[in-house]
Amino acid sequence: MKKFLKLALLSSLFVGVLSGVAACGKGEADDKAESNELSVAAWAYDANPEFKAMVEAFEKENEGVKIKIVDIAADQYEDKVTTMLSAGDSTDVLGIKGVGSYVNYATKGQLLDLSEEAEAIENPENFKGNLDGYKLEGKYYALPFRKDIYMLFYNKKLFDDNKTPYPENLTWEEYEELAEKLTTEKDGEKIYGTYHHIWYPILLCTAANQTDSSLLDGEYGFAKEYLDRWIRMQDAGVTMDYSSIKTASVTYASQFETEKTAMMPMGSFYLGKLLNAAKENRTTVEWGITSMPQNEKGAVSTYGGPSGFAVNKGAKNPELAKKFVSFCAGEKGAKAVAAIGMTPAYQSEDVMNVLYTLDGMPQDEESKKALNPDKNGWEMLPDPKAAEINAVINEEYDLIMVEDSPVKKGIDALNSRAKEVLEEDN
């Protein structure tokens, strides 16, 4: 009996040891699996190839790492992320779409401080000031992977048909005259001289940067001449009117790629989309790029907003998340972004040569000038009031452009409302 009990006890201990070893092994395996998994929130993943390019480059560089994409519709993205963070979501990396929402997340303590990661990136001079788009009270809570440049796209064939030289370093007056000249009709369908999409920054941020002004000062008189021109051009029928664009939910890509417009001011993010559309035979448009029109010939001033990544303070895998964000902001991530035809935030000579030599990219000197403006300012720098000011501008710009509010009256209303926001206590 004693012998039986002894054997039973030894057997029990042996099973227990095995179970412990198995449990320990399973725990180590789980920890390893978790350390190699990363969740990344992005907007319209399939429509924005830069996300896939960076993900694939990072996974290739880090064997065994698996990235899970949290894909959110572009027009719902910022509201959705705000809700996620408020609910304590643990998605590791968050794509940063707009400066206003970035400031909100950062000031609520929902993002990790990435200042050390920013300082650790080699040759920071290659950012050419592009880190400033996320500098908030001396710290960085996100790092940029892209910095857009707004420029003028044009349809070569429509210029050729009109026996008109391709545009170079236009003034705004020349641009308006050219749009009138290129407005024609083909097979009973109107072809506009140019197309002005409904995003207010295309006009107002260009105006602010070309007049050394700011959208955060509460004074918008600098925009009057620009707004007058936009209204005058839509009234003349040389560009589709704002109300029609909104009512029909017209996309800028559909207008340009189906040759319904000869020119179009748009961001450099469109370069990659055009190259991809041509590769997939979705468009045969022959296109070129030049600088945004200026008040005077000579130095080129334009603007562009950053796109970047932040690390959720509640991230499951914060160290791997920081590594991913740093990779995307640095040279290797920049080459992945440039390789699909987009302008990265990190712009070393090697990186930009990747962009310049892409198949289908215009190779002329004028195109390179458009990609290297003398000044590429900001859409809106990080500020606690940025989101509120953005909302006010959106509303008043809409009223001006549908011509419910005359330009001067609209600017007065904008000045008044913006000052109220700026004077409010934080």
Side-chain angles (χ1 to χ4, degrees):
M1 183 68 179
K2 286 182 179 179
K3 188 176 181 180
F4 174 76
L5 288 172
K6 188 176 181 180
L7 284 170
L9 179 61
L10 285 170
S11 184
S12 175
L13 285 169
F14 183 67
V15 171
V17 169
L18 283 177
S19 298
V21 170
C24 182
K26 184 175 184 297
E28 288 174 359
D30 286 347
D31 289 344
K32 187 174 182 180
E34 186 174 304
S35 70
N36 286 335
E37 292 176 359
L38 194 67
S39 52
V40 177
W43 60 91
Y45 183 79
D46 289 337
N48 292 288
E50 67 271 33
F51 290 124
K52 185 178 181 182
M54 288 182 288
V55 165
E56 289 182 347
F58 186 75
E59 288 181 338
K60 184 178 180 180
E61 181 85 4
N62 297 271
E63 189 177 350
V65 169
K66 184 62 183 172
I67 294 178
K68 174 190 173 185
I69 296 296
V70 180
D71 192 7
I72 302 170
D75 59 350
Q76 300 170 18
Y77 183 78
E78 290 172 307
D79 289 341
K80 178 69 173 174
V81 172
T82 298
T83 302
M84 287 163 58
L85 290 174
S86 298
D89 185 86
S90 60
T91 299
D92 297 300
V93 176
L94 305 169
I96 298 298
K97 192 166 185 276
V99 170
S101 56
Y102 162 68
V103 173
N104 283 341
Y105 308 150
T107 53
K108 288 177 182 176
Q110 295 170 325
L111 306 178
L112 290 184
D113 184 352
L114 299 178
S115 300
E116 288 185 12
E117 284 68 28
E119 292 169 6
I121 294 176
E122 293 181 2
N123 303 314
E125 67 277 5
N126 287 324
F127 279 109
K128 299 182 178 179
N130 291 336
L131 276 174
D132 291 348
Y134 292 132
K135 193 172 186 178
L136 184 61
E137 297 177 347
K139 295 183 178 181
Y140 299 96
Y141 298 92
L143 299 180
F145 59 78
R146 196 179 87 198
K147 173 64 162 74
D148 296 325
I149 303 167
Y150 271 75
M151 56 186 64
L152 188 66
F153 289 77
Y154 63 91
N155 183 312
K156 289 184 173 182
K157 186 175 183 300
L158 293 178
F159 271 77
D160 291 342
D161 289 347
N162 202 274
K163 296 181 173 53
T164 301
Y166 299 147
E168 291 184 10
N169 194 210
L170 297 174
T171 65
W172 283 109
E173 286 183 4
E174 289 172 337
Y175 169 71
E176 187 174 356
E177 290 168 3
L178 201 50
E180 183 176 354
K181 181 179 180 181
L182 291 164
T183 299
T184 57
E185 192 173 291
K186 184 177 181 181
D187 299 328
E189 186 174 7
K190 186 170 186 176
I191 297 172
Y192 291 99
T194 192
Y195 174 79
H196 296 156
H197 200 52
I198 59 173
W199 302 331
Y200 84 74
I202 295 176
L203 179 63
L204 297 188
C205 292
T206 299
N209 280 284
Q210 291 185 352
T211 59
D212 293 321
S213 305
S214 169
L215 297 186
L216 292 166
D217 286 348
E219 291 285 349
Y220 301 94
F222 67 84
K224 185 178 184 303
E225 187 175 337
Y226 291 79
L227 285 163
D228 282 339
R229 175 168 282 110
W230 240 234
I231 295 293
R232 186 166 63 243
M233 290 176 75
Q234 74 174 15
D235 287 352
V238 302
T239 183
M240 183 180 288
D241 68 277
Y242 184 94
S243 296
S244 296
I245 297 170
K246 287 200 78 170
T247 302
S249 299
V250 174
T251 67
Y252 65 85
S254 68
Q255 287 299 107
F256 193 77
E257 290 168 33
T258 58
E259 304 194 282
K260 293 176 182 174
T261 182
M263 298 184 290
M264 181 176 72
M266 189 49 62
S268 54
F269 52 83
Y270 189 41
L271 293 169
K273 295 177 188 294
L274 267 176
L275 294 175
N276 201 43
K279 191 181 298 183
E280 295 176 358
N281 296 315
R282 288 184 284 109
T283 183
T284 56
V285 64
E286 297 175 38
W287 55 277
I289 52 174
T290 186
S291 306
M292 280 288 270
Q294 306 292 306
N295 290 316
E296 297 178 0
K297 286 190 177 295
V300 172
S301 174
T302 186
Y303 83 99
S307 296
F309 286 123
V311 178
N312 182 358
K313 196 168 186 179
K316 283 183 179 179
N317 203 341
E319 293 310 310
L320 186 59
K322 289 178 182 179
K323 187 177 181 180
F324 174 78
V325 173
S326 296
F327 175 89
C328 293
E331 185 160 43
K332 290 180 180 178
K335 284 183 176 179
V337 171
I340 51 98
M342 295 194 177
T343 49
Y346 187 94
Q347 298 179 357
S348 68
E349 186 176 344
D350 285 348
V351 167
M352 295 307 284
N353 280 335
V354 171
L355 178 64
Y356 299 151
T357 56
L358 286 176
D359 186 30
M361 180 70 73
Q363 302 293 326
D364 59 288
E365 287 305 310
E366 185 63 23
S367 298
K368 289 185 179 179
K369 285 180 185 177
L371 289 163
N372 288 277
D374 299 285
K375 176 187 176 183
N376 183 27
W378 296 99
E379 190 168 307
M380 194 177 286
L381 283 168
D383 185 277
K385 302 288 188 181
E388 289 180 85
I389 292 292
N390 179 63
V392 167
I393 296 175
N394 259 320
E395 290 172 10
E396 293 300 332
Y397 183 77
D398 194 70
L399 291 173
I400 292 170
M401 291 307 300
V402 298
E403 302 190 45
D404 277 355
S405 181
V407 170
K408 186 179 183 309
K409 182 181 176 183
I411 290 175
D412 289 343
L414 187 51
N415 289 343
S416 176
R417 291 185 62 191
K419 283 176 184 174
E420 285 180 12
V421 170
L422 293 170
E423 289 167 4
E424 289 173 359
D425 294 333
N426 289 323

